Amino acid sequence: MAVPVNQALPADQYGVVGHPVAHSWSPFIHGMFAKATAQNLVYRMFDVTPENFRRDVLKLFAGGVRGLNVTLPHKQAAAELVNELTPRAARAQAVNTIAFFEDTTLLGDNTDGAGLTSDLERNMKVELADKRLLILGAGGAVRGVLGPLLERELREVTIANRTPHKAQALVAEFADCGAIAGCGFSALRGPPYDVIVNATSAGLQGEMPLLPAGIVGSATVCYDMSYGRGDTPFTRWSKSLHAARAAKGWGMLVEQAAESYLLWRGIRPDTQPVLEALMRHA
Ligand code: ATR
């Protein structure tokens, strides 16, 4: 049957699954990407509980959805659901992006690490090679970013966590990727690190891990993977110690989204206008 040339094609469907998900900025970000790259797509939020994750996600793909972002608490479940993992998602054993290809393959990727390294390197102009890096936390957020960070030829990577054995377990898992050590917060010592990334969820409860002051100096770049209005407990602490930079995770959020968009649409959108718009709206 001939299709009239002026008949609008239905938009391709994408979205984010999480629980909760209502606070997500992803529809705003992907909406801007779609407009800027002239792509006909819709991006929606799907609140899915852990019990229903598998059933509901498969239903979404059966219903025509072509790609999903996956956020808390489903990233590990998503790694188990897909048929195939990209090397970086296999390394993380966590998935934040699923692409549905026409040959019925569900491909799981993890763009969180690329999001963090892009924000540090491209946006903040931080050179990571030969630097000493400290990561605070040993949960899912760290798992997602460790592989790409360890590819950067850092001189030293330390993972410090409130529960030290979890940091040591991650170190054992990633030991083949480079020089990496794990400890509790109280074992941390100066000299100041070049870069400190906060990947704990302490800030969500308004808390700040108890850290020795000597690990921050006037050249230290402090990066909080969480974001929101104003200072976080971690950026406030960093500023009080006169760190060179005290950044929040807005750039990582936009950069990981751009990497997901690239997987789905084959185009990496310009992230700068979106970051600027977020700073105006958030
Ligand atoms: P995510 O997926 O966000 O990483 P997670 O897997 O639950 O979430 O991990 C949360 C991380 O924040 C953990 O490293 C946790 O430390 P523990 O392993 O000791 O639980 C850390 N965390 C949470 N609240 C904290 C607090 N008040 N102080 C310090 N660390 C905290």
Side-chain angles (χ1 to χ4, degrees):
M1 190 179 77
V3 178
V5 285
N6 61 351
Q7 183 176 305
L9 287 166
D12 292 337
Q13 297 180 61
Y14 293 87
V16 54
V17 283
H19 185 68
V21 78
H23 62 279
S24 174
W25 284 99
S26 294
F28 178 87
I29 295 169
H30 284 283
M32 278 195 74
F33 286 166
K35 214 169 181 182
T37 56
Q39 300 281 298
N40 185 22
L41 62 87
V42 290
Y43 188 103
R44 288 178 291 168
M45 292 189 278
F46 303 103
D47 195 323
V48 171
T49 61
E51 308 83 79
N52 296 334
F53 178 75
R54 188 179 181 85
R55 188 199 66 190
D56 287 2
V57 165
L58 292 175
K59 218 189 259 176
L60 286 172
F61 285 115
V65 166
R66 298 182 59 163
L68 287 175
N69 281 130
V70 180
T71 188
L72 297 179
H74 302 308
K75 290 184 184 185
Q76 265 150 311
E80 283 159 27
L81 173 93
V82 295
N83 315 113
E84 210 177 303
L85 292 169
T86 62
R88 59 192 180 181
R91 183 78 254 191
Q93 283 302 305
V95 157
N96 79 335
T97 309
I98 306 177
F100 184 39
F101 292 113
E102 276 159 27
D103 63 357
T104 71
T105 300
L106 283 179
L107 176 69
D109 193 8
N110 192 317
T111 66
D112 286 331
L116 175 62
T117 53
S118 290
D119 194 31
L120 285 167
E121 293 173 335
R122 290 191 199 196
N123 301 337
M124 294 174 65
K125 311 284 180 227
V126 175
E127 172 65 63
L128 291 173
D130 209 33
K131 294 285 163 46
R132 291 175 62 240
L133 177 106
L134 170 64
I135 305 178
L136 307 172
V142 178
R143 171 173 289 287
V145 301
L146 259 187
L149 279 174
L150 287 165
E151 281 170 11
R152 290 305 192 275
E153 294 176 18
L154 288 145
R155 177 144 41 104
E156 185 188 314
V157 175
T158 304
I159 302 176
N161 195 43
R162 179 175 63 181
T163 313
H165 77 82
K166 288 197 201 162
Q168 280 139 10
L170 263 187
V171 166
E173 197 179 324
F174 285 84
D176 58 313
C177 298
I180 172 169
C183 62
F185 298 138
S186 61
L188 291 171
R189 300 272 176 276
Y193 284 88
D194 298 306
V195 182
I196 304 179
V197 176
N198 177 35
T200 71
S201 54
L204 299 179
Q205 305 120 44
E207 290 175 9
M208 168 66 206
L210 210 60
L211 300 169
I215 60 173
V216 176
S218 57
T220 306
V221 172
C222 292
Y223 192 99
D224 197 340
M225 275 170 52
S226 60
Y227 45 85
R229 278 176 193 268
D231 272 323
T232 65
F234 177 74
T235 58
R236 204 172 300 119
W237 175 82
S238 310
K239 286 177 184 174
S240 77
L241 295 172
H242 309 289
R245 309 277 291 271
K248 290 183 292 177
W250 289 107
M252 174 177 171
L253 177 72
V254 178
E255 296 297 334
Q256 63 78 29
E259 290 285 325
S260 300
Y261 195 89
L262 173 64
L263 180 74
W264 294 329
R265 310 299 297 187
I267 308 168
R268 197 181 195 285
D270 185 6
T271 50
Q272 217 48 46
V274 181
L275 198 46
E276 283 164 20
L278 269 179
M279 292 303 94
R280 285 194 300 274
H281 287 85

